[in-house]
Amino acid sequence: MSICLAGYVGTVALTALGLKKTEQENIPAVAVMGAAFFTASLIHFRIGVTSVHLTLLGLTAIILGVKAIPAILAGLFFQAVLFQHGGISTLGVNAMIMMTSALFCHYSFTLLIKGKHNKSLYISFVAGGVTLLTVLLATVMTSSLLILSGDEFKGLALLFSVSNGTLALIEGVLTGIIINRLLKIKPEMVLS
Amino acid sequence: MKKAPIQFWDYRWKLVSLVILIFAIAYTGKPAAMISGLAFSLLLTFFTGTNPGEAVKNLKTPLYLLLFMSPFIILTPGRELLWQLPVVKIYRESLDLLFTILLKSTSIILIFNALLYKADLTRLMQAMKTVGIPGKLISILISTYRYIFLYRKDLVKLSIAAKLRAHSKRRGFSHLLTSADIMLTLLVRSYEQSERVQAAMVMRGYRGEFYFAEKFKSKFSDKIISLVVLMAATGIILMENLC
């Protein structure tokens, strides 16, 4: 319960930051892009006999920047409300983990591509690498919180880490490919 | 069509009292408090006229997930050994955890189902704004809600087109490339649309806030129902601390 409440406190602080950075006139654009990311994350990706849903956390952060924070919150809210994925009591913790990881992704991507805007292959590799690290960071934070909740959650934390490690790799490759193609057809989406 | 009793409950009172109840149940850890939470959520489902079929449907996914996770939970080492089989050991702490997750998640999903049963989401967001959620965030939620359905339709069309081109038979990296192309199409389209939507809304006088024509009017019965729910939440917390 204390972790749930701490999650809500963190989410409130990060949402306040995200909303401050979102100009009122930009709200429709943030919402439309947020909805697109949410929908794109519904695409199944096959791994052997099973399939996974991607989070598109890195891609959202790279394209929307700090404005990804309210978009992530909206996405998680509708996941809970429309599809009953995740609960309202854990919404704060989930949102805080995803928002922190998205901020890490945005700032590291911006820092690493500074002054190298004409090197599209380099930018694509950076995007893929940063996304991989972002998903791994989110996984480490979730697993740590699970372990902090009690020793009995250790097994679950291990299961979660293994499955998300594979997901991180797929997300990294996919984001690299998408960013590479975006740089050719719509570079302002990545470099603005 | 006859309305269920829950549909007459003022959205603001319903939102506040049921969210408090959810947090009260999330706080519990002792069997008596958790069982009381489940009993109250079942009573709530029954008395508010929530469709039991819908509640069962909403419970399916989390219960399947729990079923999938249960071997991992049961096999987690603890302190007090209950049974020792040739290969596996089962500890009390693991069974307690499984029981806790099952009871709490079932109760919370039932309450969440009551909160959303036949609810008008725009009205629910209006209620969220009234209880202090920032207007900017509500605007983002309302717009996102509108476009999610639009893009889901787009996604269905793109997926059918991909299937017609035998995409469903592809595996590995080739599948990844096609999935990337589908996502790219969706994102580029939405980016262009977002610019058009933004320009159109600003031209129509949009300054970052949605205004709702209909106002809320609470009745005495709304307050009574909320009071009962809040008393139940207090009772559950007291039971957790005193039992």
Side-chain angles (χ1 to χ4, degrees):
Chain A
M1 183 66 182
S2 53
I3 290 176
C4 287
L5 286 178
Y8 268 99
V9 172
T11 300
V12 168
L14 288 170
T15 307
L17 171 79
L19 289 178
K20 200 181 164 193
K21 295 266 181 183
T22 310
E23 297 294 325
Q24 298 215 313
E25 287 76 19
N26 289 340
I27 288 173
V30 172
V32 171
M33 288 303 289
F37 280 113
F38 175 77
T39 315
S41 70
L42 297 176
I43 295 174
H44 293 269
F45 182 76
R46 281 193 203 86
I47 312 173
V49 289
T50 183
S51 68
V52 290
H53 286 287
L54 304 176
T55 61
L56 296 185
L57 188 58
L59 194 63
T60 315
I62 289 169
I63 295 178
L64 290 179
V66 182
K67 283 177 267 183
I69 289 178
I72 288 170
L73 187 63
L76 287 176
F77 175 77
F78 287 115
Q79 243 175 23
V81 169
L82 298 175
F83 304 106
Q84 306 272 322
H85 281 199
I88 204 157
S89 54
T90 52
L91 183 67
V93 179
N94 289 341
M96 193 188 73
I97 290 172
M98 292 188 85
M99 287 170 181
T100 318
S101 311
L103 281 181
F104 161 78
C105 182
H106 163 64
Y107 286 118
S108 28
F109 179 74
T110 316
L111 192 76
L112 288 169
I113 65 155
K114 206 174 178 183
K116 289 168 184 162
H117 283 194
N118 51 351
K119 294 178 180 171
S120 64
L121 199 61
Y122 170 77
I123 297 173
S124 312
F125 270 110
V126 169
V130 165
T131 301
L132 183 119
L133 289 177
T134 302
V135 180
L136 287 180
L137 178 70
T139 308
V140 168
M141 284 199 277
T142 312
S143 304
S144 310
L145 282 177
L146 275 173
I147 292 168
L148 277 177
S149 306
D151 281 349
E152 57 274 27
F153 285 101
K154 272 183 185 164
L156 270 184
L158 183 71
L159 175 71
F160 181 77
S161 305
V162 171
S163 62
N164 267 38
T166 322
L167 186 73
L169 193 67
I170 295 169
E171 288 235 22
V173 175
L174 194 86
T175 306
I177 296 170
I178 293 178
I179 293 293
N180 187 262
R181 293 189 178 177
L182 272 179
L183 286 168
K184 286 177 190 150
I185 55 169
K186 207 88 182 160
E188 66 269 27
M189 273 178 84
V190 183
L191 303 172
S192 58
Chain B
M1 200 174 157
K2 202 183 162 193
K3 273 187 169 181
I6 194 135
Q7 290 175 273
F8 294 102
W9 194 2
D10 186 288
Y11 276 79
R12 294 165 303 169
W13 289 93
K14 181 165 70 173
L15 179 72
V16 173
S17 44
L18 291 185
V19 168
I20 292 174
L21 182 63
I22 285 174
F23 276 97
I25 290 172
Y27 171 74
T28 57
K30 290 182 181 161
M34 288 191 294
I35 290 168
S36 310
L38 180 64
F40 189 77
S41 55
L42 284 169
L43 279 176
L44 194 78
T45 304
F46 179 73
F47 282 112
T48 51
T50 310
N51 184 356
E54 202 161 307
V56 170
K57 206 175 96 188
N58 289 335
L59 277 170
K60 258 188 200 168
T61 316
L63 289 182
Y64 282 149
L65 182 70
L66 189 63
L67 195 70
F68 168 73
M69 290 191 314
S70 54
F72 299 95
I73 300 173
I74 290 173
L75 296 176
T76 307
R79 279 176 222 102
E80 196 183 327
L81 187 67
L82 279 183
W83 297 293
Q84 185 163 12
L85 303 166
V87 192
V88 291
K89 288 174 183 172
I90 294 171
Y91 295 87
R92 174 179 287 281
E93 288 83 359
S94 317
L95 286 184
D96 282 350
L97 177 67
L98 193 67
F99 179 68
T100 304
I101 297 177
L102 181 69
L103 280 184
K104 281 165 74 166
S105 58
T106 309
S107 315
I108 291 173
I109 291 164
L110 285 174
I111 299 165
F112 205 47
N113 188 53
L115 176 67
L116 297 176
Y117 183 68
K118 289 194 176 168
D120 175 353
L121 273 184
T122 315
R123 201 94 171 109
L124 185 68
M125 286 177 230
Q126 183 185 358
M128 283 162 69
K129 191 180 175 186
T130 330
V131 298
I133 308 282
K136 259 188 194 178
L137 189 60
I138 298 296
S139 303
I140 290 174
L141 286 175
I142 290 174
S143 306
T144 307
Y145 179 59
R146 159 85 180 82
Y147 284 97
I148 279 175
F149 293 100
L150 210 72
Y151 291 136
R152 278 189 83 185
K153 269 188 196 168
D154 266 5
L155 182 63
V156 170
K157 280 184 203 163
L158 287 168
S159 304
I160 291 172
K163 266 185 194 164
L164 286 172
R165 288 165 182 80
H167 161 63
S168 55
K169 288 179 182 157
R170 289 180 179 179
R171 290 285 182 275
F173 195 67
S174 172
H175 180 78
L176 191 70
L177 282 176
T178 319
S179 301
D181 283 338
I182 293 175
M183 283 181 198
L184 189 72
T185 313
L186 199 71
L187 293 177
V188 173
R189 266 192 209 172
S190 67
Y191 181 76
E192 287 167 350
Q193 190 171 16
S194 75
E195 287 178 323
R196 288 196 297 273
V197 169
Q198 183 172 321
M201 286 177 76
V202 172
M203 276 173 69
R204 286 175 179 85
Y206 176 74
R207 294 291 175 268
E209 285 261 350
F210 280 104
Y211 297 97
F212 300 93
E214 212 175 327
K215 299 274 181 243
F216 285 113
K217 274 183 200 158
S218 55
K219 302 179 291 293
F220 181 66
S221 59
D222 295 323
K223 292 169 192 169
I224 294 293
I225 301 168
S226 298
L227 188 69
V228 172
V229 173
L230 291 176
M231 278 165 64
T234 316
I236 289 167
I237 292 172
L238 284 176
M239 205 176 273
E240 174 70 17
N241 290 314
L242 301 175
C243 282

